[in-house]
Amino acid sequence: MLTQDSVTIVSVGSPVAGSSDSVVHRPARPQTPYQALRLLPKDATPAQQDSVIQAYFQPSEIHYSDQPDTLHLPGHDAGRNIFDTAMPEYYRENFFSVNSPYYTESSINACGMAGSPVPYALRSDNTITALLLLSLAVTVVSFARFGQFLVRQVRDVLLPISVGGARFTAVETFSEMRLLLFLTLLACLQFSIVSFLYVTEYIADTFVFDSLYLLLALFFGMFAAYFAVKLLAYAVVNNVFFREDKKTLQWTQSLLFIISLEGLLLFPVVLVQVYFGLSIQNTLRYCAFVLVLGKILTIYKSWIIFFRQKRISLQIILYFCALEAIPLLIFTGILEYVVNELKINF
């Protein structure tokens, strides 16, 4: 007999007390826990189940076999002890090894149709956004610190001014001259962004280099070089034909301001086109209007400074064609040639 919560173990051929003459044959000693639990009634408690398991099964020390492993690869030596650290590599490899033959799964391609990639947009470009924010900050600071200077420049460009009169005021401080140069660079940036939009929309969107920033930087450098050569050409021609330092200084100052004014007028439409989806056709129409306005102001200012006293219309036409129209056409041809050389033709 076992403890209070145990059961009586019945041997083979022994009838159960109080039962009929029929004998239930059970194994003398269960070989598995399942057979031991089958000796108990169905309503046996967990304590009774634990007691019968402890009665038949006692934990003992596990003795591993000291026989050598004969399951080895053909042509290799007999198996070694599993605790041997110098075992061959194939003993240590398993399903999770890096060797590809151990992976038996097959790759399955996902069903369905591939989605269209999101096209490149300037509005989602952090670099373009940073440049436009920098341009906005420069514009705001310029109007805040040099508002009177800019208003005076507008007045000097639009109104007839005599060089010797009191109304002519040249740039007297280094900060004002630096402002004009910086606004000129800002104008180069706006022209380069508009050119970038036009090229990617109508000509090509893939080029020999990976980054489109290089194309934008190339446009910026070309516009900066164009304006620099233009200022240099004006300085040489004016010094040769007019030889008046005050007029040359006034013209250089006025030309820088006209270029800066074109950049300031282009800045709002660039923002609207980049972030609000203005059509490229309307953007180009506005840019053409700004360019025409700049050329009109250039002709008007050159006539006021150099040709008002001479009253020779043919001379100002030649002056404008030689220093404005022809350089612009040459620059447009160079720009088109560079773009055609850099684009990828499929």
Side-chain angles (χ1 to χ4, degrees):
M1 297 293 292
L2 300 176
T3 59
Q4 184 178 359
D5 57 351
S6 63
V7 296
T8 303
I9 306 304
V10 182
S11 302
V12 177
S14 300
V16 181
S19 63
S20 61
D21 295 339
S22 62
V23 178
V24 179
H25 295 279
R26 300 181 184 274
R29 183 176 180 83
Q31 302 299 316
T32 62
Y34 173 76
Q35 294 177 355
L37 293 177
R38 288 292 300 271
L39 299 175
L40 299 175
K42 294 183 179 180
D43 57 349
T45 63
Q48 293 174 338
Q49 296 175 0
D50 181 68
S51 297
V52 74
I53 293 296
Q54 291 182 12
Y56 287 110
F57 302 99
Q58 298 295 328
S60 61
E61 184 179 358
I62 299 176
H63 298 280
Y64 293 98
S65 175
D66 55 357
Q67 298 298 323
D69 184 11
T70 58
L71 298 177
H72 54 83
L73 296 178
H76 290 265
D77 298 335
R80 302 184 183 182
N81 190 353
I82 61 174
F83 300 103
D84 186 5
T85 58
M87 286 191 304
E89 183 66 24
Y90 61 84
Y91 276 98
R92 294 193 296 269
E93 289 182 342
N94 51 45
F95 179 78
F96 300 100
S97 301
V98 296
N99 196 353
S100 58
Y102 284 92
Y103 294 96
T104 58
E105 68 273 10
S106 59
S107 59
I108 300 176
N109 296 326
C111 301
M113 182 180 297
S116 300
V118 178
Y120 174 78
L122 290 180
R123 68 174 63 90
S124 59
D125 196 315
N126 295 331
T127 303
I128 300 300
T129 302
L131 290 176
L132 293 178
L133 288 177
L134 179 62
S135 303
L136 180 61
V138 170
T139 304
V140 173
V141 172
S142 301
F143 279 101
R145 296 188 56 185
F146 302 97
Q148 296 181 355
F149 168 73
L150 296 176
V151 171
R152 189 171 69 246
Q153 290 298 313
V154 174
R155 182 192 62 191
D156 293 345
V157 168
L158 296 179
L159 298 179
I161 301 171
S162 59
V163 177
R167 293 178 60 187
F168 168 65
T169 55
V171 178
E172 298 178 355
T173 64
F174 177 74
S175 299
E176 294 174 348
M177 193 64 185
R178 184 175 58 184
L179 173 65
L180 287 179
L181 293 176
F182 204 84
L183 290 178
T184 302
L185 294 178
L186 181 62
C188 295
L189 177 62
Q190 307 310 317
F191 280 114
S192 61
I193 293 177
V194 173
S195 301
F196 177 83
L197 294 172
Y198 172 78
V199 168
T200 54
E201 180 70 22
Y202 291 106
I203 299 180
D205 56 356
T206 54
F207 298 89
V208 295
F209 35 72
D210 297 333
S211 177
L212 293 178
Y213 298 142
L214 296 177
L215 181 64
L216 187 62
L218 179 63
F219 287 160
F220 178 81
M222 294 181 65
F223 276 104
Y226 166 71
F227 288 124
V229 172
K230 183 177 177 181
L231 289 172
L232 180 61
Y234 270 114
V236 172
V237 172
N238 293 337
N239 288 328
V240 170
F241 290 97
F242 302 105
R243 297 183 180 180
E244 296 184 16
D245 295 338
K246 289 185 177 179
K247 287 185 178 181
T248 302
L249 177 61
Q250 182 185 2
W251 172 249
T252 302
Q253 175 182 329
S254 300
L255 185 60
L256 283 175
F257 180 75
I258 290 174
I259 297 174
S260 303
L261 183 62
E262 291 176 353
L264 293 176
L265 293 177
L266 284 178
F267 183 61
V269 74
V270 169
L271 289 179
V272 174
Q273 205 285 331
V274 171
Y275 294 105
F276 297 99
L278 181 66
S279 63
I280 189 65
Q281 293 84 0
N282 294 330
T283 302
L284 293 177
R285 293 190 186 100
Y286 181 81
C287 293
F289 168 75
V290 171
L291 288 176
V292 171
L293 179 62
K295 300 308 176 185
I296 293 175
L297 291 177
T298 302
I299 297 175
Y300 174 73
K301 196 62 181 178
S302 61
W303 179 80
I304 290 296
I305 297 176
F306 299 113
F307 302 101
R308 186 174 58 173
Q309 303 298 331
K310 298 181 180 181
R311 301 182 183 276
I312 301 177
S313 58
L314 180 60
Q315 190 173 4
I316 189 174
I317 293 175
L318 294 176
Y319 182 82
F320 175 79
C321 291
L323 297 178
E324 283 291 336
I326 294 179
L328 181 60
L329 293 177
I330 293 175
F331 175 75
T332 304
I334 294 175
L335 190 63
E336 182 179 0
Y337 173 78
V338 171
V339 171
N340 291 330
E341 288 295 323
L342 294 179
K343 73 177 182 179
I344 298 177
N345 298 318
F346 295 98

